[in-house]
Amino acid sequence: MFDFAIVGGGIVGLSTGMALYEKYPNAKVLLIEKEERLAEHQTGHNSGVIHSGIYYKPGSFKARFAKKGSQSMTEFCQMHDIEHDICGKVIVATKSEELPLLDQLYKRGLENELAIQHITSGELKEIEPHVRGLAAIRVPMAGIVNYRQVSEKFGDIIRSKGGVIKLGTKVEKIYETDDEVTIETAKETFKARMVINCAGLHSDRVAKAAGYKTDMKIVPFRGEYFKLKPEKRHLVKHLIYPVPNPNFPFLGVHFTRMIGGEVDAGPNAVLSFKREGYKKTDFNLADFSEVMRYKGFWKLASKYMKEGMDEMARSFSKAKFVESLQELIPEIQESDLVPGPAGVRAQALKDDGGLVDDFHIILGKRSVHVCNAPSPAATASIEIGKEVVSQIPVQNHLLMATV
């Protein structure tokens, strides 16, 4: 019998395991991951940005946890000698109609109590000579890290505390009673006093397997990237982002420095035909059919039809993709780019077509379900883990008081 069983070996599940040991140092913790390696999906395909929290609604989980998480993530990397770089970020207005949006974003950053700067085109040119912009926001605390390395260290810490990590083990069914939870996998059956669902792209399905209706569905969006050729990496000094389109729930194509020196350019955002579909050709009939039958998706699609078509065009046309990049760095050419890896974002979508905009946690009888944790979840992972543990239902908390 375990005290806690965590489903999902991405960065949120792993950070939750660490947080459990901080609060219950003598607990018996089990982490179950269906892949043969930790951080194999969203975490392992992450862009590696340590976000500041500037975009998010003041007071929201995302705003609070990104700000606090950027600090705790940086401190964790320093403590464990994980390579990272607080390189800073600029958010650039390239058109006059974007200037009011930039001003609104700057005000939001101040409301979130961030140390940011509103800079002129001349000041932008001094720090990013190849970027064209009318004005920008400089975000000094943004940075980069390899989140797979962070996750592996999280896993090492869990094991060092006595935690058990089962890889290559897929959860199939979950049964809750008043006293315990039974977790059936393809290999063996486990029992625990509490289960915590951090299954990312499959979090809604795990919640359903435990008997909970979430009124939302995970819809996978693939983000496709190019990489700058080595001889063109000098064009990018910071993280370089456009002003977000207020009519579209994604940040737009941007330039991201990576640990190791590479520079990623992207992503677009297109519907993936498989929950773990990292290639255009990846297809799963069950995943695809589930999205096509979901009324929430069609409501979303009708609302963002134009923006969605633009994203699809960038997916199939390198020239269109380059045009978007040239708005920030005009000298970028098609020949400067080579194909890069893609990631898949698990975005929770409500029945009415609305995106679940914040981190979303559902409490069960003997379970906690993290049902929406898209970006900036990696940045905020340490804080999310602490929040999940703090939300363990009172009756279970009392039962485990001696743990």
Side-chain angles (χ1 to χ4, degrees), residues 260-328:
E262 294 183 330
V263 176
D264 280 5
N268 58 356
V270 296
L271 177 67
S272 175
F273 298 154
K274 181 181 179 182
R275 289 212 181 186
E276 293 156 0
Y278 302 105
K279 300 176 183 177
K280 290 184 178 71
T281 54
D282 284 343
F283 179 82
N284 179 281
L285 180 59
D287 290 351
F288 177 72
S289 299
E290 188 176 28
V291 173
M292 291 297 103
R293 292 194 304 266
Y294 186 46
K295 62 182 180 181
F297 169 73
W298 291 108
K299 291 180 179 180
L300 177 77
S302 62
K303 182 177 180 180
Y304 296 114
M305 182 64 71
K306 178 184 182 301
E307 292 82 4
M309 294 302 293
D310 289 343
E311 295 294 312
M312 289 295 293
R314 277 191 284 269
S315 178
F316 288 96
S317 170
K318 186 177 181 181
K320 290 286 187 184
F321 205 109
V322 170
E323 284 179 11
S324 297
L325 295 173
Q326 287 173 335
E327 291 186 11
L328 291 167

Side-chain angles (χ1 to χ4, degrees), residues 34 72 77 106 149 166 216 253 285 352 379 384 391:
K34 70 183 179 67
S72 56
C77 292
Y106 179 69
Q149 291 178 6
K166 292 281 187 177
M216 64 180 69
V253 294
L285 180 59
D352 63 4
T379 300
I384 295 173
Q391 291 203 25

